[in-house]
């Protein structure tokens, strides 16, 4: 079903990538002048367009956002869990009539590095036990929960598991992230080109 892009009432678009958060440490996105990348704002309960570069310009615009791994690792402190660097939920709306181009770079930790190691490294590198809040309003921090992170959800087509986000996090916390957790996540989202 076509979706009307909120930036233009006449731009019919289709869902190019469903809503999700990215699993890694951070993601860098370049998109052409057609645009289509949208981030979700929990405060206003709506998606907002990430402004694409103007057409026929030599300027390059990159969109960088935190992934689930870094969000979780940075979220632990000595007093519990708090989202300091949230992993934004986002999606892509692709135009029906024009091709859209983008280039995405997903950054992951070294293959054997674990969430436990990242959390400890971030805690020990902190100047004090208090965390510094960075460009994220308090409302957004409070509205994000572990269940909203794609990394902590079963994304398989036959997702029937009642396993909660906290249980999934505990299971993966000491496992090598890039060599174990990420391949398992990719196996969840792979879709067969041949319907059953």
């Amino acid at each position: 079903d076509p979706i009307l892009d909120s930036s233009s009432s006449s731009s019919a678009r289709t869902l190019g990538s469903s809503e999700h958060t990215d699993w890694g440490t951070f993601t860098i996105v370049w998109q052409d002048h057609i645009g289509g990348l949208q981030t979700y704002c929990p405060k206003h309960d709506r998606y907002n367009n990430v402004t694409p570069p103007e057409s026929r310009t030599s300027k390059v615009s990159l969109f960088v956002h935190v992934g689930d791994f870094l969000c979780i690792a940075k979220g632990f402190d000595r007093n519990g869990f708090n989202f300091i660097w949230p992993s934004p939920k986002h999606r892509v709306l692709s135009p029906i009539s024009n091709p859209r181009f983008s280039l995405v770079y997903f950054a992951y930790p070294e293959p054997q590095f674990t969430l436990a190691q990242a959390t400890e490294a971030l805690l020990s590198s902190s100047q004090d036990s208090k965390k510094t809040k960075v460009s994220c309003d308090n409302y957004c921090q409070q509205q994000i929960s572990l269940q909203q992170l794609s990394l902590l959800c079963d994304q398989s087509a036959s997702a029937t598991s009642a396993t909660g986000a906290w249980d999934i996090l505990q299971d993966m916390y000491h496992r090598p992230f890039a060599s174990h957790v990420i391949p398992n996540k990719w196996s969840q989202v792979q879709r067969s080109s041949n319907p059953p």
Side-chain angles (χ1 to χ4, degrees), residues 42-120:
K43 183 174 184 176
H44 298 101
D45 191 27
R46 72 172 198 192
Y47 277 91
N48 296 302
N49 293 318
V50 172
T51 306
E54 296 177 20
S55 63
R56 302 187 203 286
T57 182
S58 60
K59 291 182 181 180
V60 173
S61 296
L62 299 175
F63 180 72
V64 180
H65 60 88
V66 171
D68 296 348
F69 180 91
L70 187 55
C71 172
I72 293 167
K74 185 68 175 165
F76 282 103
D77 65 21
R78 306 214 187 284
N79 301 315
F81 193 79
N82 185 15
F83 285 99
I84 301 299
W85 293 352
S87 178
K89 183 165 55 170
H90 55 284
R91 69 181 184 186
V92 175
L93 297 183
S94 296
I96 293 174
S97 58
N98 296 340
R100 171 190 185 275
F101 297 96
S102 64
L103 180 64
V104 181
Y105 174 79
F106 298 104
Y108 296 107
E110 292 184 18
Q112 299 305 311
F113 205 59
T114 68
L115 269 166
Q117 291 170 312
T119 300
E120 189 52 44

Side-chain angles (χ1 to χ4, degrees), residues 12 20 29-30 47 52-53 72 79 88 125 129 139 149 161 163 168 172 192:
H20 65 281
V29 180
W30 169 84
Y47 277 91
I72 293 167
N79 301 315
S125 69
S129 62
Y139 187 89
L149 300 177
S161 173
T163 306
I168 293 171
M172 73 173 56
S192 171

Side-chain angles (χ1 to χ4, degrees), residues 189-196:
V189 298
Q190 294 302 313
R191 304 294 188 252
S192 171
S193 58
N194 300 323

Side-chain angles (χ1 to χ4, degrees), residues 175-195:
R175 296 182 189 270
F177 192 76
S179 65
H180 178 81
V181 175
I182 293 302
N184 286 341
K185 290 301 293 181
W186 276 117
S187 70
Q188 288 179 8
V189 298
Q190 294 302 313
R191 304 294 188 252
S192 171
S193 58
N194 300 323

Side-chain angles (χ1 to χ4, degrees), residues 23-37:
W23 310 323
T25 52
F26 63 90
T27 303
I28 303 172
V29 180
W30 169 84
Q31 63 178 346
D32 65 10
H33 66 279
I34 301 294
L37 178 61

